[in-house]
Amino acid sequence: MKFKYSVIIICLIFLMLPCTKVYAANTFEHNYIYNYWGEANKSLPAFEFVNVIDGSVMKDIKFSEVDDVFVSKDRIFLVDTMESRVNVFDTNFNFLVSIKLIRDANGRIVVNPQTNEQLMLTNPEGVFMDDNTGLLYIADTAAERIVVLDGKTYSFSRIIEKPDNMVGVTQFKPSKLVVGKDGVISIVVQGSYEGIIQLNNDGTFSRYFGLNKPKVNMIDQLWESIATRKQKEKMKKVFAPSFNNLTIDQDGLIYATTYDASAQNMVFRFDSKGENVLMENGYLPVTGDLVQNIESSNDSSNSNQIAQKSKFVDIAVSDFGVYALLDKTKGRVFIYDFEGDLLNIFGSSGDLKGNVKNPTGIAWLGKKLLISDKDLGVCYLYEPTEFGETVLNAAEQYYKGNWNNAGKLFDETVKLNANYDVGYTGVGRNYLMQDQYEKAMYYLKLGNSKSYYSKAYNGYRSLAIQKYIGWFAALFLLITFTLFYSEYKYNKKNG
C-alpha cells in the first residue's frame, strides 16, 4: 500500500513541475521549415558552404571587413567600409582591383577643385554596377555623396551630391543604392523616416519613395481621438519606420527590408507608385522565424530565455522571382518564391566554417548565394544541394508557367523530403492546371493548401454535376411523368 501511495505522489510531483518549452527551431539547429500550423519540421538543407573570399588573395592590400556584396554579370564587388575600399573579383574569385583612390581616364588622381584634396572613398557602405550603362555607383557614405565610375576602367565619371532641390529633413548620406533601367537612382539612408530617396539620372531630386507603415496602437489612437489640440501637440509623434536595404528585380521593381520593430511589414516589393505589392500567399507571412525562435541569454546568471524575431539586413532577388532574406539575429537565410511560399531555411551563426557572426549582405551568383560577414571579413559561397537545386528549378519552371515541368520537379522534392508541404502543393497545382481535380485534391490536402484545394474541389464538383446531370434530368422527368399520370388516372376514375 505504501508503495502505491509513493508512486502516486511521485507522479503528482512530476505533473506539478513546470513544462519545459521545446522549440523545434532550436532542436533542429538550422535545417528546418515551417508547416501550415507554424510548427518547425526537420528539412533537408537547400544550400551548403563550398568556398570563401577573404583577404588572402589581395597580397599587400589591407582587407578588414565586408559590409556589402554585389554581383554583376561578370564580377563580384565587396565593400570594405573600414578600409574605405571597394574590392573587385571575377566570378572565379580571382582578385581584380581594389578601388579607393579615384583616378581619371588617363590614370591621374582626381583632385576635388573645391577642397584641393585627392578624391578618395570615405567609408562607403553600398555599391551597384549598372550593366545597362556600364557605370559603377558607390554609396560613399561618410562623404555624403555617390561616386560614379566607369564600370570597365574604374575611372572617374562624376560625383552626385545632395541635390539643391531636395526637400525634407533626411540627411543625404547614401548607404545602399540601386539604379533602374530608366536611370533613376534609389537610395536608402539609414534612420530616415521619409522613405527611399529617388534621384533622376541627372542627380536632381525626384521624390521620397515607398510607404513603410508603422504599427497601429489602438490605445494611442483612442486617446488621440478624444484629446484636445494642446494634448495632441504634446503627444509623441509616430514616425514611419526606416528602411535598411534594397535591391531591384529584372522588372525594375524595388524590394526593400526593415528591421524596425515599429514596422507593420519587414519586407516590401514596391510598384511604380510606391505601394507594397509583395505577395504573401504562403502558409505564413514573410517574417522569417516565428516568435518562438528563442535563444539562451549569454549571461549565465540569467537563465531566462529571450524571444527574438528575425532581423533582415539584406535581400537578393533571382531572375525567376525567388528571393533570399538574410537574418542578422540567427545568421539564417530564408528562401521564398514569388508567391511568398517559404521554400527553405538554412545557415546559422557560430564558429564553425560557413557560419556567420555579423552577416551584412547577400547576393545571387547564378543559383548560388554569396553571403558577406562584417566581423569575419569574409564572403562565403553557398551552392545548392541536390534538394535545393530541385526546389529552385521547380520554382523557376512554375514562375515561367511551365506547369508540367514544375509539377515533375516538385514531385522529386517530396521524394527527397517527405515533410516538404510546398512540394505537395506544387504537384497538386500541376494536376489542377490539367483539370485532374481528384489527384489535385489528394496532393493539395497533403500540402495543406486550402486555397488551391478549394479550387480543385470546385472543379471536381462541377465535373461530377456535368457527368450525372443526364441521370438527374431523366429521374426528374420520370418522377414528374409518374405524378402527372397518377393524377390523370385518378381524375379519370372518379369522373
Side-chain angles (χ1 to χ4, degrees):
M1 200 64 180
K2 288 183 179 179
F3 175 76
K4 184 178 178 181
Y5 283 124
S6 299
V7 171
I8 293 173
I9 291 171
I10 291 172
C11 290
L12 288 173
I13 290 173
F14 272 105
L15 289 173
M16 292 172 67
L17 287 175
C19 297
T20 303
K21 294 182 179 180
V22 178
Y23 294 99
N26 287 339
T27 307
F28 297 146
E29 297 294 337
H30 46 264
N31 296 328
Y32 60 94
I33 192 167
Y34 292 107
N35 63 15
Y36 174 78
W37 293 275
E39 299 166 342
N41 286 335
K42 194 169 185 177
S43 176
L44 294 175
F47 288 82
E48 60 184 355
F49 166 76
V50 290
N51 208 343
V52 60
I53 305 176
D54 56 25
S56 61
V57 297
M58 295 178 59
K59 298 180 180 178
D60 298 332
I61 299 174
K62 198 169 181 182
F63 187 94
S64 296
E65 59 188 38
V66 187
D67 297 84
D68 195 16
V69 54
F70 182 84
V71 176
S72 69
K73 287 182 180 177
D74 56 357
R75 282 164 291 173
I76 300 166
F77 300 85
L78 303 183
V79 178
D80 185 344
T81 302
M82 181 177 287
E83 300 300 329
S84 296
R85 289 182 178 277
V86 173
N87 301 308
V88 188
F89 299 79
D90 66 18
T91 51
N92 294 317
F93 291 10
N94 296 310
F95 174 65
L96 300 177
V97 68
S98 182
I99 305 168
K100 182 171 185 177
L101 202 58
I102 309 302
R103 298 176 183 273
D104 62 17
N106 298 317
R108 293 184 296 234
I109 298 172
V110 177
V111 177
N112 188 333
Q114 296 176 346
T115 61
N116 205 29
E117 294 178 348
Q118 295 177 334
L119 184 58
M120 189 181 300
L121 297 180
T122 311
N123 306 121
E125 293 182 0
V127 63
F128 183 86
M129 176 70 205
D130 187 353
D131 286 319
N132 296 314
T133 61
L135 294 175
L136 178 65
Y137 293 78
I138 301 172
D140 200 15
T141 311
E144 301 183 2
R145 64 192 176 193
I146 297 170
V147 177
V148 186
L149 306 178
D150 183 286
K152 289 185 178 178
T153 63
Y154 310 107
S155 59
F156 176 75
S157 177
R158 61 175 171 145
I159 293 286
I160 300 174
E161 295 180 321
K162 182 178 180 179
D164 294 333
N165 65 333
M166 183 172 162
V167 297
V169 297
T170 297
Q171 187 179 6
F172 191 74
K173 206 169 182 178
S175 174
K176 310 293 180 185
L177 77 171
V178 295
V179 182
K181 293 178 182 177
D182 54 0
V184 172
I185 307 167
S186 300
I187 305 162
V188 161
V189 174
Q190 303 296 333
S192 170
Y193 57 82
E194 292 181 297
I196 296 168
I197 299 173
Q198 283 200 326
L199 305 183
N200 299 311
N201 189 34
D202 60 3
T204 56
F205 178 75
S206 173
R207 59 174 174 169
Y208 289 104
F209 176 80
L211 184 61
N212 192 356
K213 296 180 182 177
K215 291 178 181 173
V216 178
N217 188 319
M218 300 301 292
I219 296 175
D220 289 345
Q221 272 204 330
L222 177 64
W223 278 115
E224 190 172 350
S225 65
I226 60 176
T228 63
R229 186 175 176 181
K230 286 186 177 180
Q231 288 173 327
K232 287 181 180 178
E233 290 174 353
K234 292 179 181 178
M235 285 181 176
K236 187 179 178 181
K237 291 183 178 178
V238 178
F239 295 105
S242 61
F243 298 105
N244 60 6
N245 217 324
L246 79 172
T247 189
I248 190 168
D249 68 8
Q250 61 174 357
D251 297 325
L253 298 183
I254 291 176
Y255 286 70
T257 56
T258 180
Y259 54 68
D260 193 315
S262 64
Q264 288 186 20
N265 302 97
M266 311 306 286
V267 186
F268 305 82
R269 184 181 188 235
F270 293 117
D271 62 11
S272 58
K273 295 179 182 177
E275 295 178 355
N276 187 13
V277 293
L278 185 78
M279 295 177 70
E280 296 188 89
N281 296 335
Y283 303 134
L284 304 165
V286 182
T287 56
D289 263 329
L290 301 182
V291 178
Q292 67 262 34
N293 174 21
I294 59 174
E295 65 177 12
S296 298
S297 169
N298 292 328
D299 184 0
S300 59
S301 63
N302 182 8
S303 59
N304 295 328
Q305 293 184 308
I306 303 168
Q308 291 189 335
K309 289 184 177 180
S310 296
K311 290 183 177 180
F312 300 132
V313 292
D314 199 6
I315 179 171
V317 186
S318 71
D319 293 338
F320 46 95
V322 169
Y323 53 93
L325 290 161
L326 181 60
D327 169 32
K328 183 178 183 179
T329 307
K330 304 289 287 184
R332 286 174 181 148
V333 178
F334 297 83
I335 310 288
Y336 291 88
D337 69 8
F338 73 100
E339 287 196 332
D341 283 314
L342 179 60
L343 300 180
N344 195 257
I345 304 168
F346 76 95
S348 179
S349 57
D351 297 318
L352 298 176
K353 199 169 186 179
N355 289 350
V356 295
K357 283 188 177 293
N358 187 4
T360 51
I362 188 167
W364 289 97
L365 178 62
K367 286 184 178 174
K368 301 174 184 175
L369 279 170
L370 284 165
I371 298 174
S372 60
D373 190 288
K374 182 183 180 75
D375 291 356
L376 297 175
V378 297
C379 187
Y380 289 131
L381 175 68
Y382 296 83
E383 70 177 18
T385 60
E386 180 188 2
F387 172 69
E389 189 162 0
T390 308
V391 170
L392 291 177
N393 289 338
E396 182 177 11
Q397 294 300 314
Y398 178 56
Y399 179 80
K400 293 179 178 176
N402 300 325
W403 309 107
N404 288 339
N405 292 340
K408 291 175 184 175
L409 289 165
F410 276 121
D411 190 44
E412 290 182 27
T413 64
V414 295
K415 289 175 181 173
L416 294 169
N417 181 6
N419 289 329
Y420 199 53
D421 290 357
V422 177
Y424 292 113
T425 300
V427 177
R429 269 190 316 229
N430 178 42
Y431 284 122
L432 178 61
M433 297 303 168
Q434 297 176 31
D435 295 340
Q436 297 185 44
Y437 300 117
E438 201 163 355
K439 285 186 176 179
M441 288 165 60
Y442 172 76
Y443 282 99
L444 293 171
K445 188 174 183 180
L446 289 175
N448 289 304
S449 177
K450 290 188 174 180
S451 59
Y452 281 110
Y453 183 88
S454 297
K455 293 177 182 177
Y457 178 75
N458 289 336
Y460 175 77
R461 185 177 56 188
S462 298
L463 281 182
I465 292 173
Q466 290 174 21
K467 184 177 179 180
Y468 297 108
I469 189 68
W471 289 102
F472 284 122
L475 182 63
F476 176 77
L477 290 173
L478 180 63
I479 294 172
T480 304
F481 176 78
T482 303
L483 289 174
F484 274 105
Y485 184 74
S486 301
E487 188 70 16
Y488 169 76
K489 292 280 288 181
Y490 177 79
N491 290 331
K492 188 177 180 181
K493 184 177 180 181
N494 295 291

